[in-house]
Amino acid sequence: MKIKSKIIISGVSVILLSILSVSIVISYLVLADSEKRAKKQIERSVKLLSEQFSQTGQSLKATAKKIATDSELGSKLSYIYDSKSDGGVSSILNQESKDLTINLYSLAVAAGAKEVVIYDDSGQWSSAFWVTNDKASMAFPALGENGYYFATVEIGKEVKSSDWKKADKLNKRIQSIAPDQKKEDLRKDIESDNLILTASSPIMVMGLNPETFEEELQKKGLASISWKIDSNFLSRVAELTDSQINLFISNQLSVGTFSKSNKVSKAIRQLVKSKKNNREKVKVS
């Protein structure tokens, strides 16, 4: 190989290998005589990517907890759930749900969240917020009637009464039943060839214990906040590490900064398999 020829040195980040069909490939374009230096650069890039991913997860957990501990949101959610169970007037409950959703919108925008779903104590979703480009959308299930109420505004703008619409279906997939989680949690999912990181935190509200007749914190629901790993995140890490980063799901490119590499090579697949086997051995031993 001539000294001026170029090679691509690649490494695999191990942070996501618990999901069998996901791998992140980090590539570094170097001169052939710099292969040793390139491998060190790959190791540094993998470490930094792992740290950035971990920090994002911790940030999501902190945001979920912040939203879940908002007293106004918790009180409204508890009132709606208890009144619904007692056969409360649907028009009043729908107004309360609208107020709850506007409150969620304010909390989510202030926290910089991209997608948040609030579940009541039965596990049914009660309110949702998500961002698409520069627009913020919010919705809640209509109570006492079919369909949903939703509104879409520019991020940060006030939500007016005229912004609310009624629809039989939403153009956004919302998990209707809350995950079975009783404490703060972080999980990874694959949805439409995207890697989704979701943090959840229980919504606790002061209530009267019927046995002791004393006030105590009671679980009334769950706040779930999701984040999709996107090109902005990978581009930021790629710039910090002076490398190229691609995310592959089921051997297909999901998102990345290196367009010339749209499939995982056989060598990389073998490396991924080797790392997974090593991790499994560690778990067993």
Side-chain angles (χ1 to χ4, degrees):
M1 184 180 290
K2 294 182 179 180
I3 200 71
K4 292 183 179 180
S5 64
K6 293 183 178 180
I7 61 174
I8 296 174
I9 307 297
S10 296
V12 179
S13 172
V14 299
I15 56 175
L16 304 174
L17 294 183
S18 57
I19 299 180
L20 299 181
S21 58
V22 174
S23 58
I24 285 188
V25 176
I26 302 176
S27 301
Y28 190 59
L29 194 62
V30 296
L31 292 176
D33 63 340
S34 303
E35 182 174 346
K36 186 176 181 180
R37 179 169 59 86
K39 288 181 177 179
K40 288 185 178 180
Q41 175 69 8
I42 289 293
E43 291 176 358
R44 174 178 172 272
S45 299
V46 169
K47 182 179 179 181
L48 182 58
L49 177 61
S50 299
E51 291 173 350
Q52 291 290 314
F53 192 80
S54 178
Q55 289 174 12
T56 299
Q58 293 304 313
S59 177
L60 285 176
K61 290 176 69 173
T63 301
K65 185 174 183 179
K66 184 176 182 179
I67 292 175
T69 54
D70 182 79
S71 58
E72 183 178 351
L73 184 143
S75 296
K76 286 187 179 297
L77 179 66
S78 178
Y79 171 78
I80 293 168
Y81 177 71
D82 292 341
S83 299
K84 184 170 59 175
S85 302
D86 295 336
V89 179
S90 59
S91 60
I92 296 176
L93 295 182
N94 281 325
Q95 182 58 52
E96 290 292 332
S97 294
K98 186 182 294 184
D99 293 341
L100 167 69
T101 304
I102 292 175
N103 186 27
L104 172 62
Y105 162 64
S106 299
L107 292 169
V109 169
K114 299 296 184 182
E115 183 174 328
V116 187
V117 181
I118 300 298
Y119 298 92
D120 65 23
D121 201 32
S122 71
Q124 300 290 328
W125 78 277
S126 295
S127 180
F129 162 89
W130 65 95
V131 172
T132 305
N133 298 323
D134 60 343
K135 299 287 186 179
S137 297
M138 62 213 80
F140 64 90
L143 299 177
E145 51 188 307
N146 296 324
Y148 308 88
Y149 286 99
F150 73 97
T152 299
V153 298
E154 290 184 23
I155 297 175
K157 296 292 185 180
E158 179 184 357
V159 184
K160 301 177 181 178
S161 298
S162 58
D163 293 323
W164 290 97
K165 312 294 181 185
K166 180 81 180 299
D168 293 329
K169 292 183 179 180
L170 295 175
N171 60 1
K172 170 69 177 177
R173 180 184 175 277
I174 299 173
Q175 184 175 336
S176 58
I177 305 296
D180 185 17
Q181 297 162 322
K182 296 183 179 179
K183 59 182 180 179
E184 296 156 23
D185 189 61
L186 190 67
R187 71 180 191 278
K188 298 181 284 288
D189 299 296
I190 297 174
E191 181 181 313
S192 302
D193 292 330
N194 291 304
L195 179 63
I196 310 294
L197 193 62
T198 301
S200 300
S201 185
I203 297 174
M204 309 297 290
V205 178
M206 290 299 295
L208 188 66
N209 186 315
E211 296 180 357
T212 63
F213 297 102
E214 294 182 355
E215 281 198 330
E216 63 179 14
L217 280 174
Q218 300 174 345
K219 182 175 176 293
K220 292 296 183 179
L222 192 76
S224 179
I225 176 170
S226 298
W227 169 79
K228 178 178 71 175
I229 189 167
D230 57 15
S231 58
N232 290 333
F233 173 78
L234 293 184
S235 294
R236 186 169 67 251
V237 179
E239 184 176 354
L240 289 173
T241 60
D242 191 27
S243 58
Q244 300 296 331
I245 305 174
N246 283 354
L247 168 67
F248 294 89
I249 296 178
S250 299
N251 198 31
Q252 297 297 318
L253 178 64
S254 172
V255 64
T257 65
F258 192 28
S259 59
K260 292 183 179 180
S261 176
N262 56 16
K263 284 191 176 182
V264 182
S265 67
K266 183 178 179 180
I268 290 296
R269 290 200 302 272
Q270 290 175 341
L271 180 58
V272 171
K273 184 177 180 180
S274 173
K275 287 180 178 291
K276 288 175 183 174
N277 290 337
N278 289 338
R279 290 184 66 184
E280 289 173 358
K281 288 179 182 179
V282 171
K283 290 180 181 178
V284 172
S285 60

